[in-house]
Amino acid sequence: MTRMIVCAALILSAVTLSAEEAIVATVNGVPIKASELEQAIDRLIPRISFHGEVSEEKRAELRDKALDDLISMELRYQDATAKGVKLDTKMVKEQMAAIRGQFNAKSDYEKALKRAGMTESTLRQQVEKEVLVYQLTQKTVVEPSRMADEALKEYYEKNRSKFRQPERVRLRVISVKEESKAREAYEKIRAGEDFGSVAAKMSEDNYRIMGGDTGYVHKGRFIPEIENLAWKLPNGAVGGPVQGQGNGTWFIIKVEDKSPERDLPFEEVKDKLRADLESKRSNELMAKWLEELKAKSRIEITSKRP
């Protein structure tokens, strides 16, 4: 339900257009207004940027996605009303309370409503619409997508090859541009200085903030010069300096651990497998549902710009 709170809150921060604003699309005769499209774009922006400002060019790129989301919402809402879905009024009440709770004072809430050209009644109508769509989506998509442990285990047994973890190594890496600096770092390590401390002080890549620790990696992650060295060295050994032929950078590595190829047990992969399969099934059911709704609906797109 968090997403619904966010959507409704964004409505309050939007600037509505005049009563004569353009209609960008109709869904079975129900209009979608230009201001609604702008609000839908605003809802997409947090997914692509941590900054408050997004260029008009980027907003234009988001219009197709935003309009498709609005059409999808309207189609599902119409389907919910046609099927007589009973509105969960408790959920509506919780959502309205959550929205009001985002404001420090009642006056701030009222100002936001006024700025958006809304009343509490029209806001409630929007929340009721989202709740109704949420309810039907849960019944049509989310609940049928859930998988029991038995079904997960069956999939796991039929696809054992997908759950084989390749040989991996855990490395610490120091990378520098100059050979002299690489040899200086190597001598410090040979003299007994901690590899991680040297990496933090002298390495020139982002791994330095972790003391050069790359975590576990499998073949194909690093350049051949590093991998050839890493797979030859025993645990705890330091190798280098070695120069990468592609970029000329000098590397020193330490092998922290080696993990042989192994079959991942069911219990270890169960949670991720459930999330992946349920997400895939959910996407399939949503696409099928919308395809069926669109096939029997009249959708007219008049404009994608206000």
Side-chain angles (χ1 to χ4, degrees):
M1 293 302 294
T2 302
R3 179 179 179 276
M4 292 169 57
I5 295 172
V6 171
C7 289
L10 278 168
I11 290 170
L12 298 191
S13 66
V15 178
T16 55
L17 304 180
S18 70
E20 302 300 323
E21 63 180 298
I23 302 300
V24 295
T26 59
V27 180
N28 295 320
V30 177
I32 295 175
K33 298 178 181 179
S35 59
E36 294 177 281
L37 178 57
E38 292 304 308
Q39 291 163 7
I41 295 171
D42 287 339
R43 290 197 289 270
L44 292 175
I45 286 173
R47 305 182 197 177
I48 64 168
S49 174
F50 291 107
H51 307 289
E53 295 184 2
V54 174
S55 69
E56 283 304 311
E57 290 76 14
K58 175 53 71 174
R59 288 184 70 86
E61 291 177 14
L62 294 172
R63 287 178 187 275
D64 285 350
K65 168 62 176 167
L67 186 55
D68 190 59
D69 286 348
L70 286 173
I71 291 171
S72 168
M73 169 66 78
E74 183 60 36
L75 285 170
R76 288 180 289 157
Y77 173 68
Q78 292 179 15
D79 195 30
T81 56
K83 290 177 177 175
V85 176
K86 184 178 179 180
L87 179 66
D88 188 333
T89 55
K90 180 182 178 182
M91 193 178 292
V92 172
K93 185 177 180 180
E94 291 172 350
Q95 291 300 297
M96 291 296 293
I99 294 169
R100 287 191 294 266
Q102 293 182 355
F103 296 89
N104 294 326
K106 183 179 179 181
S107 59
D108 294 333
Y109 170 63
E110 291 172 344
K111 287 177 183 177
L113 283 171
K114 186 176 180 180
R115 185 170 60 249
M118 302 181 74
T119 64
E120 186 166 73
S121 177
T122 55
L123 174 62
R124 180 180 295 275
Q125 289 173 10
Q126 180 63 34
V127 171
E128 289 177 350
K129 180 175 182 177
E130 293 192 9
V131 168
L132 208 59
V133 169
Y134 173 84
Q135 290 177 243
L136 186 56
T137 301
Q138 289 292 111
K139 183 178 180 180
T140 307
V141 175
V142 178
E143 292 173 7
S145 297
R146 292 185 179 132
M147 296 189 67
D149 285 356
E150 293 78 9
L152 292 174
K153 187 63 181 291
E154 181 180 356
Y155 180 91
Y156 171 84
E157 293 295 344
K158 290 180 177 179
N159 298 274
R160 293 293 292 263
S161 62
K162 294 182 179 180
F163 304 101
R164 184 170 297 117
Q165 187 179 78
E167 181 184 8
R168 303 180 302 162
V169 296
R170 182 180 176 185
L171 303 177
R172 287 188 187 271
V173 176
I174 295 172
S175 64
V176 295
K177 294 295 184 183
E178 299 177 3
E179 181 181 4
S180 59
K181 188 175 180 180
R183 298 203 176 280
E184 179 187 354
Y186 184 67
E187 290 304 319
K188 288 179 180 290
I189 295 166
R190 285 191 61 188
E193 195 166 337
D194 178 68
F195 191 102
S197 297
V198 176
K201 290 184 291 186
M202 300 185 68
S203 188
E204 298 171 1
D205 61 43
N206 292 333
Y207 291 118
R208 69 180 183 280
I209 62 176
M210 300 295 293
D213 191 352
T214 68
Y216 284 96
V217 296
H218 52 75
K219 286 187 177 181
R221 173 72 181 275
F222 288 116
I223 61 173
E225 291 79 11
I226 292 180
E227 291 190 350
N228 292 338
L229 191 58
W231 259 262
K232 290 177 183 177
L233 293 172
N235 285 352
V238 175
V242 61
Q243 186 178 30
Q245 298 302 310
N247 56 19
T249 300
W250 289 84
F251 301 94
I252 304 167
I253 69 169
K254 179 182 179 182
V255 178
E256 292 283 359
D257 186 37
K258 287 190 173 183
S259 174
E261 181 181 44
R262 70 186 183 101
D263 291 328
L264 297 171
F266 174 69
E267 288 301 321
E268 187 173 331
V269 303
K270 182 173 70 173
D271 290 344
K272 185 177 184 305
L273 179 60
R274 185 192 307 279
D276 290 345
L277 292 182
E278 288 185 353
S279 176
K280 180 181 178 182
R281 179 60 176 158
S282 178
N283 290 336
E284 290 172 349
L285 288 176
M286 177 65 81
K288 183 175 182 291
W289 183 23
L290 290 174
E291 182 181 352
E292 291 172 352
L293 291 177
K294 288 178 180 179
K296 61 183 181 181
S297 298
R298 181 177 178 81
I299 301 170
E300 296 179 304
I301 298 175
T302 56
S303 172
K304 295 181 183 179
R305 293 183 179 277

